[in-house]
Amino acid sequence: MQPHLTLVSHALCPYVQRAAIALIEKDVDFERITIDLADKPAWFKTISPLGRVPLLKVDGEAVLFESAAICEYLEDTTDRPLHPPHPAVRARHRAWMEFGSNVLTLIAGFYNAADADALQRKRHEIRERFATLEAELSTRAGPYFGGERFSLVDAVFAPVFRYFERFEAIEDFGFFDGLPRVLAWRQSLAQRPSVQAAAHPDYARLLDAFLRARRSELSRRMAA
Ligand SMILES: N[C@@H](CCC(=O)N[C@@H](CS)C(=O)NCC(=O)O)C(=O)O
């Protein structure tokens, strides 16, 4: 029998979204509890070793933390694999998932950048990462990272790309200029039902408020 799964979430967290996408892709029933990270409930502090989301509670007993570990658990316990079968390709996919986490760190640097120079530096670093992805994608064809089949790397990058819908509405930062494969990949992911379902219903409004509250260069440009 399938265990009862509870995903402890935050409305904007991209790491939560990757776990949610994996659950939806695998057609696994789960409950979602959304908490406020600015006001963490006592029960959450007790069970989250790093004080971070996502957590996956399994039958209300085991508590899994770290999105990569949660995704691996789902791979081990459910049908519909989202990792490729060949060990070397699988290892590369895990590495590209880590690459996606690195891009998320750069994105946080971008929206928190204190001034125009810092914003420009982060923009440049993010573009460099996307150029690296463009080269990687040129080795195969298909709508997804690995080609025709949706994988955990796609689950990682879908929430990465989601940020850019908002960034592009602020200004044309040219993140995807000259990178047609990355752009096409981004568009394929945006259309995927699991990707659409993984976002909090109020995601756009909450992200807008979050970005405006950063007191960063980007916040100032949003207010201008
Ligand atoms: N490496 C972690 C990163 C998770 C993470 O950074 N979560 C953020 C929200 S997106 C968090 O819970 N931060 C704690 C806080 O804001 O206090 C994972 O992959 O699960």
Side-chain angles (χ1 to χ4, degrees):
M1 203 178 76
Q2 199 216 298
H4 183 82
L5 299 178
T6 307
L7 185 65
V8 182
S9 310
H10 176 261
L12 293 176
C13 180
Y15 299 94
V16 166
Q17 288 180 51
R18 67 171 73 160
I21 292 168
L23 284 156
I24 297 165
E25 285 289 336
K26 287 167 175 290
D27 204 14
V28 173
D29 284 337
F30 67 103
E31 179 194 1
R32 198 160 168 156
I33 297 180
T34 301
I35 64 157
D36 181 359
L37 285 172
D39 183 18
K40 294 175 186 169
W43 62 263
F44 172 76
K45 292 187 198 165
T46 310
I47 63 170
S48 177
L50 291 169
R52 299 197 298 213
V53 290
L55 299 177
L56 188 70
K57 288 167 75 176
V58 182
D59 274 341
E61 291 168 7
V63 177
L64 310 182
F65 66 109
E66 287 297 312
S67 60
I70 291 170
C71 289
E72 293 294 340
Y73 165 79
L74 296 173
E75 279 296 285
D76 289 344
T77 55
T78 62
D79 298 333
R80 305 196 189 189
L82 292 173
H83 265 326
H86 189 281
V89 184
R90 183 186 284 254
R92 283 181 62 78
H93 273 226
R94 290 191 176 112
W96 284 107
M97 290 170 73
E98 187 54 34
F99 187 96
S101 298
N102 175 273
V103 177
L104 285 173
T105 304
L106 295 179
I107 288 172
F110 178 77
Y111 62 61
N112 285 317
D115 55 36
D117 280 354
L119 188 77
Q120 179 56 24
R121 274 198 303 279
K122 289 296 161 195
R123 190 202 79 97
H124 180 71
E125 287 179 61
I126 293 167
R127 261 198 64 90
E128 280 186 338
R129 295 292 187 278
F130 285 169
T132 301
L133 281 170
E134 182 77 14
E136 178 64 19
L137 292 173
S138 73
T139 62
R140 55 201 167 254
Y144 302 119
F145 178 79
E148 295 303 326
R149 286 191 54 186
F150 188 93
S151 73
L152 284 174
V153 183
D154 297 294
V156 166
F157 276 89
V160 168
F161 292 141
R162 208 191 294 278
Y163 281 103
F164 293 85
E165 289 165 33
R166 188 64 191 92
F167 295 159
E168 284 166 357
I170 300 166
E171 207 172 298
D172 181 6
F173 292 104
F175 279 111
F176 297 89
D177 289 356
L179 303 175
R181 291 186 180 87
V182 181
L183 186 60
W185 182 29
R186 173 189 169 190
Q187 287 162 348
S188 301
L189 293 181
Q191 286 162 17
R192 186 90 179 174
S194 64
V195 169
Q196 293 170 355
H200 187 279
D202 212 9
Y203 176 86
R205 190 189 64 78
L206 293 170
L207 179 64
D208 190 86
F210 172 81
L211 294 176
R212 283 178 193 276
R214 296 300 88 208
R215 299 182 180 195
S216 66
E217 176 66 17
L218 195 70
S219 319
R220 283 190 287 281
R221 293 191 190 189
M222 291 172 81

